[in-house]
């Protein structure tokens, strides 16, 4: 069973935080799906990932080589690249069954947007209520720190 990590972005924007998490996931040997809600926003994010400091291999879903992509940006629930890690951005939904089947789920949300914070709280309640272990990470202090944890149910 995987776990869910919630990243409360307050100091650095998504386009700065996501590459760091993607690099760590790829270093762990995982394929990653980045699920968003708006195709235009994923196009924008795709550009930012190509313009970053290092080479971060990735592609947009529907590009013809989805199964070969180490990182696939998509709005769909399917993960044809056989992702072990799902990163949900911009309020993308994550089902408890997905979190249980994957190595890790990362939910990144804008801490300066009250609606995004409320949505992430709802996702926390839904996932932990279904028994998915979760961690809440904050960068308010200037570095990432784990602030809360919900353990897997004993049984």
């Amino acid at each position: 069973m995987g776990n869910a990590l919630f990243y409360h972005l307050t100091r650095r924007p998504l386009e700065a935080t996501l590459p760091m998490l993607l690099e760590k996931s790829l270093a762990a040997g995982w394929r990653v799906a980045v699920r968003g809600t708006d195709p235009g926003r994923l196009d924008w994010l795709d550009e930012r990932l190509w313009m970053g400091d290092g080479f971060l291999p990735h592609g947009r879903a529907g590009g013809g080589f989805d199964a070969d992509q180490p990182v696939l940006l998509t709005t769909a629930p399917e993960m044809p690249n056989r992702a072990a890690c799902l990163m949900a951005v911009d309020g993308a939904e994550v089902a408890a069954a997905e979190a249980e089947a994957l190595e890790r789920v990362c939910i990144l949300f804008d801490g300066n947007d009250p609606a995004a914070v409320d949505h992430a709280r709802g996702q926390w309640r839904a996932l932990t209520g279904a028994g998915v272990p979760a961690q809440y990470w904050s960068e308010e202090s200037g570095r990432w720190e784990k602030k809360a944890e919900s353990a897997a149910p004993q049984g």
Side-chain angles (χ1 to χ4, degrees), residues 35-152:
R35 182 182 296 155
T37 57
D38 176 15
R41 172 90 159 140
L42 286 179
D43 288 341
W44 176 86
L45 193 53
D46 178 38
E47 275 187 40
R48 297 309 172 279
L49 291 175
W50 284 121
M51 294 174 11
D53 292 335
F55 177 69
L56 189 59
H58 71 281
R60 283 284 278 121
F65 298 97
D66 292 359
D68 299 326
Q69 298 297 336
V71 176
L72 184 66
L73 281 65
T74 183
T75 57
E78 298 81 25
M79 295 179 276
N81 68 335
R82 299 170 315 282
C85 177
L86 170 63
M87 296 198 184
V89 301
D90 298 334
E93 293 299 328
V94 176
E98 285 180 298
E100 292 170 351
L102 295 166
E103 291 289 328
R104 177 165 298 160
V105 169
C106 299
I107 297 173
L108 291 79
F109 62 99
D110 183 351
N112 300 308
D113 178 351
V117 172
D118 286 343
H119 185 75
R121 285 181 180 142
Q123 287 179 301
W124 175 277
R125 285 190 298 273
L127 292 174
T128 59
V132 176
Q135 297 176 354
Y136 166 75
W137 291 80
S138 172
E139 63 174 346
E140 277 186 314
S141 72
R143 63 185 190 93
W144 286 104
E145 295 177 330
K146 183 170 49 171
K147 298 290 190 172
E149 188 165 7
S150 171

